Amino acid sequence: MDFGVVLQTHPPAARSVQLAQLAEAHGFSHVWTFDSHLLWEEPYVIHSAMLNATKRITVGPFVTNPATRDWTVTASVFATLNELYGNRTICGIGRGDSAVRVTNGKPTTLRELREAIHVIRELANSRPVEYNGATLQFPWSRGSQLDVWVAAYGPLALKLTGEVGDGFILQLADVDIAEWMIKVVRDAAAAAGRDPDAIAFCVAAPVYIGDDLEHMRNQCRWFGGMVGNHVADIVAKYGANGEVPQALTDYIAGRKGYDYNTHGQSDNDHVDFVPDEIVDRFCVLGSASDHIAKLQRLREIGVTQFAGYLQHDNKEETMRVYGETVIPALTDRATAKS
């Protein structure tokens, strides 16, 4: 299992770069950032600084969307970063949440998402692509490599992920829900003639090492509110008793709006509807042994990367314990002598 961290690009930007360096030092393979251009600083500028300050980690948005950026510009960013830093980028993409809703927009259609994935991936892999009635290609790009991982919750989005995604991003760490969603993606891949085993499966959730459960819950309750935005869209489309597991839909019954000004932050004041049970199920909290136990269960159902959100007051210590204890416990090791 690989390990990543998910950061918000709050100023100063140097702080995000410092955390990326620390993540690399502790053995994380990926550093992801939110992509919401009004709420936080521009991620791709900071990605360049992160890549320049590190040697090994892979960097990308968690997640971008097809609505707020021209697809060819997005592809050009990745191809340029790959030329500069040796193919160390990755693209997480979804229909859009805070980046579009803050501007009074709305998430893109699945058709638009599918087309954007194709255009971005082809161009950023130094290949030609048909776009707006013309064949386009970056004449300066040679050997660029980019995987595109799709963030999804609903049945149709999961199906699309299995059909076209290089990876699947699930932003919650409930083992039962993750198992159901991974199966939907794998089945869709098989039906499309793809190898399900070739798809990466990334589970992402707040990760906090500590012993004060109440404090950890309160620091991470924001996540249930963020997930609730997507679940509310799903319930509006499918109903509360549709194809989506009831364990995912029940908790939003008390949802009464959402404040994007505190999106993804521990001080979000519109998440009182999120019960402790959901925080515990969706997040990874507690001692190192608690984390190892839950992550082992996720690995057993096919998760290939766990990405931990660090929007709380214990970033450095959580990364340290992961580097010294959690990551080694979930990494296959060879013996020097047998």
Side-chain angles (χ1 to χ4, degrees):
M1 179 184 282
D2 289 333
F3 289 86
V5 295
V6 186
L7 307 174
Q8 286 174 341
T9 53
H10 289 291
R15 170 69 166 150
S16 298
V17 175
Q18 179 190 52
L19 289 170
Q21 291 175 305
L22 192 59
E24 179 175 70
H26 285 308
F28 291 87
S29 61
H30 289 66
V31 172
W32 305 89
T33 68
F34 283 50
D35 177 10
S36 197
H37 57 289
L38 283 175
L39 297 180
W40 304 294
E41 293 181 313
E42 170 57 34
Y44 293 123
V45 174
I46 296 174
H47 289 172
S48 185
M50 287 177 173
L51 290 165
N52 187 58
T54 58
K55 297 179 180 179
R56 179 183 51 80
I57 56 167
T58 297
V59 173
F62 209 84
V63 297
T64 193
N65 70 85
T68 56
R69 303 176 188 274
D70 182 273
W71 308 344
T72 62
V73 174
T74 297
S76 180
V77 169
F78 286 113
T80 302
L81 290 175
N82 282 342
E83 190 276 324
L84 271 170
Y85 301 111
N87 290 330
R88 291 167 54 204
T89 66
I90 189 166
C91 178
I93 193 168
R95 295 177 58 215
D97 182 31
S98 62
V100 295
R101 297 187 197 270
V102 170
T103 58
N104 290 331
K106 60 182 181 180
T108 61
T109 66
L110 289 177
R111 179 179 178 179
E112 290 170 324
L113 178 60
R114 183 188 295 269
E115 293 173 351
I117 290 168
H118 177 66
V119 170
I120 292 168
R121 180 163 49 206
E122 294 307 294
L123 288 174
N125 279 279
S126 304
R127 297 190 292 258
V129 69
E130 296 298 314
Y131 180 70
N132 283 347
T135 301
L136 305 181
Q137 186 171 8
F138 298 138
W140 44 265
S141 179
R142 297 286 186 277
S144 178
Q145 297 175 17
L146 180 76
D147 281 352
V148 180
W149 292 11
V150 185
Y153 289 103
L156 292 179
L158 294 170
K159 181 174 181 291
L160 178 149
T161 302
E163 292 169 348
V164 303
D166 297 308
F168 166 45
I169 293 172
L170 172 58
Q171 295 174 84
L172 59 84
D174 182 285
V175 178
D176 294 334
I177 294 173
E179 185 172 23
W180 175 81
M181 291 190 173
I182 288 172
K183 182 180 186 304
V184 174
V185 172
R186 292 178 64 88
D187 288 348
R194 304 181 70 207
D195 179 6
D197 292 333
I199 299 174
F201 292 96
C202 175
V203 161
V207 55
Y208 196 123
I209 295 282
D211 55 15
D212 185 340
L213 184 56
E214 181 179 2
H215 179 74
M216 289 187 289
R217 284 170 171 164
N218 289 333
Q219 284 283 299
C220 299
R221 199 174 305 276
W222 65 267
F223 185 68
M226 186 186 81
V227 173
N229 296 329
H230 302 285
V231 175
D233 288 342
I234 294 169
V235 170
K237 182 177 181 64
Y238 296 98
N241 299 308
E243 299 179 53
V244 179
Q246 202 163 346
L248 183 60
T249 61
D250 279 353
Y251 82 98
I252 68 162
R255 183 177 181 269
K256 294 182 173 67
Y258 186 79
D259 183 6
Y260 276 96
N261 288 309
T262 52
H263 180 64
Q265 299 180 39
S266 59
D267 62 351
N268 191 310
D269 57 359
H270 282 63
V271 295
D272 291 344
F273 70 93
V274 181
D276 289 348
E277 178 193 5
I278 288 295
V279 179
D280 294 346
R281 291 176 63 176
F282 283 14
C283 304
V284 185
L285 312 175
S287 66
S289 59
D290 294 329
H291 286 241
I292 292 167
K294 187 164 188 177
L295 294 173
Q296 283 177 331
R297 292 181 64 199
L298 289 168
R299 183 171 65 172
E300 288 167 2
I301 64 171
V303 174
T304 58
Q305 182 180 144
F306 175 72
Y309 284 92
L310 292 175
Q311 285 66 56
H312 56 62
D313 58 6
N314 198 37
K315 298 176 180 64
E316 287 87 352
E317 177 64 6
T318 293
M319 281 197 282
R320 182 190 69 80
V321 176
Y322 259 68
E324 294 182 1
T325 305
V326 179
I327 293 175
L330 291 155
T331 301
D332 293 332
R333 288 173 166 267
T335 56
K337 182 178 181 179
S338 59

